[in-house]
Amino acid sequence: MTPAQRRAVQHSFLFDGTPLTPAVLALLETCPQREYARGEEIFSPERFTRAAGVLLAGQAQVVKRHGVVLNTLGPSDCFGVASLYTEDVRYVSTVLAARTTRVLFLDAAALEELFRLDGAIGMRYIRFLSDRIRFLNRKVDAFTSASPEDRLVAWLLERARGPAVEIPAGYSALARDLGIGRTSLYRCLAALEEEGLIRRADREITLLDRSRLQAR
């Protein structure tokens, strides 16, 4: 691996910025890498590898139905972690390369050897999965709320990377994703704009007062 690739792995959740030992580096050198062109599918519900992917370079998007972008990944970010030890034959989403992207794949044998070499790596893995469970529980709580406005606010806060949130598949798809009608969605958007909490322009929503939104 190049120095930049080693830094990307070192700052993934598995290592949390701690130096990579010679034994760990030797193991990582045996793990496969693959480069993907922009728009190329990395994982899909039907086609995926039972391995955790670590982005070494580039950018990828995690996409759900209707083209809704759940997350944008950069160097050091990981995907496929929760599906590594499951018997499920389908992956939970689609991961697409947003530009030329290189990924390091760690299968179960490689991860288990990392756990043996350094027990702290195993604890970080458990902590990561625990945080995902807490995140999903919060999401379930938000999306089972009786208020469509609360669902919208939770959706916006979850996807905010900075002040703006992109609506890549349009507002009809967003309404379906939230489980509400288009009229209800536009009514909620208008109410939040009137309160000075958001500003809407085409397919982008700017969060004007994140602290008040979080308080809701």
Side-chain angles (χ1 to χ4, degrees):
M1 291 192 295
T2 67
Q5 291 172 349
R6 288 196 293 271
R7 285 194 296 273
V9 175
Q10 182 181 350
H11 287 92
S12 69
F13 80 90
L14 285 169
F15 299 97
D16 198 26
T18 60
L20 305 180
T21 66
V24 166
L25 280 171
L27 175 62
L28 294 176
E29 292 287 355
T30 69
C31 297
Q33 295 184 23
R34 183 175 170 188
E35 188 165 284
Y36 297 86
R38 180 179 179 181
E40 191 174 355
E41 190 178 88
I42 302 174
F43 273 16
S44 76
E46 295 78 23
R47 296 174 56 192
F48 68 99
T49 302
R50 289 202 183 279
V54 183
L55 265 69
L56 301 178
Q59 188 179 76
Q61 290 182 325
V62 181
V63 181
K64 205 67 172 174
R65 67 183 188 278
H66 311 308
V68 175
V69 178
L70 298 180
N71 201 4
T72 299
L73 309 176
S76 302
D77 287 335
C78 302
F79 60 90
V81 177
S83 64
L84 190 59
Y85 291 102
T86 180
E87 297 300 320
D88 200 338
V89 296
R90 288 176 59 85
Y91 191 61
V92 294
S93 56
T94 299
V95 183
L96 299 172
R99 54 175 181 255
T100 301
T101 299
R102 178 166 285 274
V103 179
L104 174 73
F105 290 100
L106 303 171
D107 63 13
L111 272 175
E112 288 160 17
E113 180 63 13
L114 285 174
F115 300 161
R116 188 189 67 79
L117 290 170
D118 186 347
I121 297 173
M123 291 305 299
R124 293 187 197 106
Y125 186 89
I126 293 170
R127 191 176 301 117
F128 177 87
L129 293 179
S130 298
D131 286 344
R132 294 302 299 169
I133 292 170
R134 292 177 60 198
F135 164 78
L136 291 172
N137 283 336
R138 289 196 302 270
K139 187 172 180 180
V140 168
D141 287 343
F143 280 81
T144 53
S145 165
S147 166
E149 197 169 294
D150 287 347
R151 299 187 200 180
L152 174 59
V153 169
W155 190 93
L156 291 170
L157 290 170
E158 179 187 327
R159 285 158 180 80
R161 299 293 181 269
V165 179
E166 186 182 357
I167 315 297
Y171 290 95
S172 295
L174 174 56
R176 288 194 298 271
D177 201 46
L178 294 174
I180 62 177
R182 287 182 60 189
T183 301
S184 294
L185 173 61
Y186 286 119
R187 189 182 301 119
C188 293
L189 290 166
L192 293 175
E193 283 188 291
E194 288 176 10
E195 290 184 52
L197 298 175
I198 66 169
R199 181 175 62 247
R200 182 160 48 106
D202 296 326
R203 290 192 176 190
E204 184 176 273
I205 296 174
T206 301
L207 309 188
L208 300 177
D209 195 330
R210 185 185 292 264
S211 61
R212 286 174 61 201
L213 284 168
Q214 289 172 333
R216 297 175 74 96

